[in-house]
Amino acid sequence: MCAQQKIPSKQINENLDIGAFAESSEDQSLLKGNVFSVKSYTSDSNHKKSEGKKVFEGKTLYLKNHTIYRKDGRRSFRKEISASGLSTSKYYYNESSGNLVLKEDYYDREYG
């Protein structure tokens, strides 16, 4: 977004920091063609809590993260699974302007 561009505050949630905007579109340059969902797996057994377990060439792999993208390449949903818990981010856009208006984060962590 150009610094000189004037966008009415009704179209952008002024409570979002620049990190949320950057995060929503950080994968756009990596995506070529029609990529709408990416799942990453790890063989690290610390991820045994992951519900997305797969066996590939005899190795057990655990879902590390899952990202769903909009048609324009920006994030719509991201789930990250770690040894300490689960975090989920949902991104909401104003359909008429295309601007990010809300990022909802949910953390389910084990502490202690």
Side-chain angles (χ1 to χ4, degrees):
M1 181 170 18
C2 179
Q4 299 169 340
Q5 186 178 6
K6 298 277 186 191
I7 299 174
S9 62
K10 290 180 184 177
Q11 293 181 351
I12 294 180
N13 184 336
E14 294 174 348
N15 295 319
L16 289 173
D17 63 13
I18 192 68
F21 289 101
E23 185 180 285
S24 72
S25 60
E26 71 184 357
D27 300 329
Q28 277 183 310
S29 62
L30 301 173
L31 302 175
K32 304 292 184 220
N34 294 324
V35 177
F36 301 113
S37 179
V38 175
K39 291 182 178 182
S40 298
Y41 290 87
T42 182
S43 60
D44 185 355
S45 62
N46 288 329
H47 287 78
K48 285 185 178 178
K49 294 178 184 176
S50 171
E51 71 271 2
K53 185 169 75 170
K54 299 238 182 215
V55 176
F56 179 73
E57 294 183 355
K59 288 186 177 181
T60 301
L61 303 174
Y62 305 95
L63 184 64
K64 183 176 175 183
N65 61 55
H66 181 203
T67 306
I68 299 173
Y69 298 95
R70 296 165 39 103
K71 288 183 180 180
D72 64 8
R74 292 184 293 168
R75 289 182 181 175
S76 175
F77 172 86
R78 181 166 177 88
K79 174 170 58 174
E80 294 187 54
I81 301 148
S82 68
S84 62
L86 172 76
S87 66
T88 304
S89 298
K90 294 180 183 178
Y91 302 82
Y92 299 93
Y93 300 87
N94 179 316
E95 290 305 319
S96 61
S97 69
N99 294 319
L100 179 67
V101 293
L102 177 67
K103 179 185 175 208
E104 177 185 1
D105 289 319
Y106 173 76
Y107 302 97
D108 184 9
R109 301 270 191 231
E110 292 180 11
Y111 297 99

